[in-house]
Amino acid sequence: MATKKAKAKSKPRTNAKPATKKSAVKKSAKKVVQFQAKKPAAKSANGSGLPRPNTKPWGQAGLALQGVKILDFTHVQSGPTCTQLLAYMGADVIKVERPGVGDITRTQLRDVKGQDSLYFTMLNGSKRSITIDSKNAKGKEILERLVKHCDVLVENFAPGALDRMGLTWDYINKTNPRMIVASVKGFGPGPYEDCKVYENVAQCTGGSASTTGFRDGPPLVTGAQIGDSGTGLHLALGIVTALYQRTHSGQGQRVTAAMQDGVLNLCRVKLRDQQRLDHGPLKEYSQFGEGVPFGDATPRAGNDSGGGQPGRILKCKGWETDPNAYIYFITQAPVWEKICDVIGEPTWKTHPDYAKPPARLPRLNEIFARIEQWTMTKTKFEAMEVLNKDDVPCGPILSMKELAEDQSLRATGTIVEVDHPERGKYLSVGNPIKLSDSPSEVKRSPLLGEHTDEILRQVLGFSDHQVKEIHDSGALDPPQKVAAE
Ligand code: COA
């Protein structure tokens, strides 16, 4: 909380110089006056050397990353997730795409004939698009201008592709020593470092698949794109951290997020369990109560909770026909007695087999079966209402349809409707991170090369004549196809 003193410091500029100071200055010797005049403006304003807090109402002083210029060489999902988030935070994201082709996702999984797909539009909002053939001589010149102009280059090409374009770290660092070069790769240094990687490969190599699914079934991938979008989020953190370090180091650096590492980071509780296995069975896993011995690796645990409070997905009214009529139910210890009352088992509150958490662990199947008898008498929303009153941690299994229609998510901007000039309205996920002084506005994704001329002229300062030369050079044309012999 702001102290009285701090509050006074953040008063509008007009109040920064108290009337008494004026008279004090008048009385001072000339030298002192000169010295005061040389003081940095921020220091004299704030007394701490820090910039003066702005006086505009919250949300009206610009966006958090305003002024940050991103040279966006990303494609598919991982990199675009990162740069879209930076764009939501206010960065100017200039997406470089191959002329005539663009990001491959523009045409993947198309729902509207001939139009940019949802795969593309939902990952590239709030960006600008410039098409440049990075292998054309003039194209390379434009890229050099962009390297000089931008703060961050973000890419997620296959290993070596950026170097093959001539954009090596040495070249970039020499051309613009302040530039941060951020990359997603499938793997870090090691036996697989040269491999191309997509989402599910990362889920499988990062520990997620081996720990997802049921014990008696095969490894499973999850619908959440923890390899692609998850690594994009990791990269975004790396970028803003490097930007912060640059404020005092004055220089750029390389930021790398490997998808395997990102998935493993998100699976760290399973690495926790791997080490716990050395000290005995994992008692919160259903298989413990079922008497099934543990092997030497963290097993798949179905819908068991990954934490210290046992939980399960339980059927609710209508489960026979509705694939999402289920609720996640956590038997959190502090509310155990209330749970006993709700499900009609008041004697479990004191019974030695059920009263304390350790006694319950070998009986989880029996306990959840009993709770499920109760949840099956309620819809997932009715159950939620009853349980919430007693602070039981639980959540309905919400379908994508339900989420798309959820008005509270619309109200917070987590789900946004965006209008697109060619394909019409579509839903997108807005910024899931809310900053009180930097509200995100989600703009539609750009058409392929929509901002090419705008960027050449306004950002890079090319004259009309130079822009014509660039057009004539072939740098903006699709690469020539070599005829098969
Ligand atoms: N002008 C000319 N060429 C361009 C270009 C442009 N504007 N933009 C891209 N290219 C070229 C690159 O130079 C490269 O060519 P090269 O291999 O001849 O040097 C090529 O297009 C793109 O290469 P690549 O990244 O290998 O694409 P891909 O479609 O074969 O592979 C991935 C896709 C995702 C598997 C791969 O990029 C990858 O492993 N990326 C890292 C991990 C990752 O992010 N995976 C998740 C994706 S969601």
Side-chain angles (χ1 to χ4, degrees), residues 444-464:
R444 68 168 173 84
S445 61
L447 304 175
L448 180 60
E450 183 177 346
H451 305 98
T452 301
D453 279 3
E454 175 183 306
I455 291 164
L456 292 176
R457 286 174 212 277
Q458 292 171 16
V459 176
L460 301 180
F462 286 112
S463 65
D464 287 352

Side-chain angles (χ1 to χ4, degrees), residues 75-78 96-99 132-135 156-159 161 164-165 184-186 195-198 228 259:
H75 64 159
V76 201
Q77 187 185 162
S78 64
V96 179
E97 298 183 79
R98 242 183 304 190
I132 308 171
D133 178 358
S134 65
K135 288 164 185 159
N156 68 308
F157 290 130
R164 288 195 292 278
M165 282 184 182
V184 169
K185 293 288 165 260
C195 297
K196 290 188 176 186
V197 169
Y198 283 109
D228 280 343
M259 294 168 74

Side-chain angles (χ1 to χ4, degrees), residues 37-244:
K38 279 183 188 168
K39 270 187 180 177
K43 199 162 186 179
S44 61
N46 219 14
S48 63
L50 294 172
R52 189 200 314 261
N54 77 69
T55 54
K56 292 187 177 157
W58 279 24
Q60 290 180 30
L63 299 175
L65 293 182
Q66 202 164 320
V68 174
K69 290 158 288 200
I70 310 276
L71 177 51
D72 181 7
F73 267 113
T74 67
H75 64 159
V76 201
Q77 187 185 162
S78 64
T81 301
C82 166
T83 52
Q84 178 167 259
L85 205 55
L86 300 174
Y88 286 172
M89 297 294 191
D92 180 10
V93 176
I94 298 172
K95 183 169 171 109
V96 179
E97 298 183 79
R98 242 183 304 190
V101 184
D103 187 325
I104 193 167
T105 60
R106 283 190 186 265
T107 55
Q108 279 182 340
L109 311 176
R110 264 183 171 153
D111 55 322
V112 181
K113 205 174 166 205
Q115 302 301 328
D116 285 341
S117 71
L118 288 165
Y119 197 0
F120 177 83
T121 55
M122 291 177 70
L123 284 161
N124 292 284
S126 302
K127 305 179 186 177
R128 298 201 268 179
S129 165
I130 180 172
T131 46
I132 308 171
D133 178 358
S134 65
K135 288 164 185 159
N136 171 290
K138 197 78 185 165
K140 283 179 192 293
E141 262 180 54
I142 303 168
L143 286 179
E144 181 165 303
R145 292 275 273 263
L146 280 167
V147 167
K148 284 180 179 155
H149 169 81
C150 291
D151 300 283
V152 188
L153 184 155
V154 192
E155 63 95 20
N156 68 308
F157 290 130
L162 195 68
D163 288 356
R164 288 195 292 278
M165 282 184 182
L167 295 172
T168 61
W169 164 251
D170 287 346
Y171 163 80
I172 294 170
N173 190 237
K174 208 169 140 208
T175 308
N176 178 359
R178 288 175 58 80
M179 178 163 258
I180 291 153
V181 178
S183 306
V184 169
K185 293 288 165 260
F187 296 94
Y192 303 130
E193 64 186 301
D194 292 328
C195 297
K196 290 188 176 186
V197 169
Y198 283 109
E199 171 69 44
N200 289 347
V201 174
Q203 288 197 24
C204 291
T205 56
S208 178
S210 72
T211 55
T212 302
F214 288 90
R215 202 182 55 253
D216 49 4
L220 278 188
V221 293
T222 163
Q225 304 287 281
I226 57 176
D228 280 343
S229 288
T231 309
L233 296 176
H234 283 93
L235 194 72
L237 176 62
I239 289 169
V240 291
T241 308
L243 278 168
Y244 179 72

Side-chain angles (χ1 to χ4, degrees), residues 65 146 159 164 179 268 285 290 328 360 389 417 435:
L65 293 182
L146 280 167
R164 288 195 292 278
M179 178 163 258
R268 68 173 55 227
Y285 282 52
E290 291 161 10
Y328 201 92
R360 293 197 286 273
K389 282 189 190 127
E417 191 173 77
L435 271 66

